[in-house]
Amino acid sequence: MGKQRKTWSPELKEQIVLTVLRGEQSVAELARQHGVAESLIHKWRTQFLEAGRARLLGDHVDHGVKALEQENERLKSLLGEKELSLYIAKKARGL
C-alpha cells in the first residue's frame, strides 16, 4: 500500500516562505526542521511571489469565481424570462 501524502497548512507554508524571504533561515534548515523537501519550499516560494505579483497587477478575480458569476447572471436572466412568460400566460387566461 502506498504512502499517504503529508499536508501542510497554509499558515505553516506562509510562515516557512516568509522566513526564507526574510533570510532568517536557509531553505535547507527549514526543510530539515519541518520535514519538507527543499524543492517543495522553493515551489511554495515561487507560488507566493507569483500570487503577490498577480495581485499587484490587478488580477485578483479568481477565474472560478468569474465563471460562477457568469452562470449566476445567466440563471437570473433565465428566471426573469420564465417569470415574464408565466405573468403573460396568467393575464391571457384572465387570472
Side-chain angles (χ1 to χ4, degrees), residues 42-95:
H42 287 293
K43 181 179 176 182
W44 293 343
R45 180 182 170 272
T46 301
Q47 290 172 341
F48 185 86
L49 293 174
E50 286 175 356
R53 185 176 300 114
R55 179 67 176 114
L56 289 174
L57 293 173
D59 181 22
H60 62 279
V61 177
D62 181 52
H63 297 294
V65 171
K66 190 159 185 84
L68 288 173
E69 287 173 348
Q70 290 173 342
E71 178 69 4
N72 191 20
E73 287 302 317
R74 187 186 71 78
L75 292 172
K76 283 180 183 179
S77 176
L78 184 61
L79 179 61
E81 291 172 10
K82 294 297 180 184
E83 286 180 353
L84 181 59
S85 63
L86 183 59
Y87 175 78
I88 292 170
K90 284 183 179 180
K91 284 292 185 181
R93 287 189 296 184
L95 296 177

Side-chain angles (χ1 to χ4, degrees), residues 6 12 15-16 19 25-36 41:
K6 187 173 181 181
L12 180 62
Q15 177 188 354
I16 291 171
T19 302
Q25 286 182 285
S26 70
V27 172
E29 291 172 330
L30 287 165
R32 281 191 302 273
Q33 183 180 347
H34 294 283
V36 179
I41 293 176

Side-chain angles (χ1 to χ4, degrees), residues 4-10 12-13 40 44:
Q4 188 171 350
R5 291 185 133 187
K6 187 173 181 181
T7 58
W8 292 271
S9 70
L12 180 62
K13 291 178 185 181
L40 190 53
W44 293 343

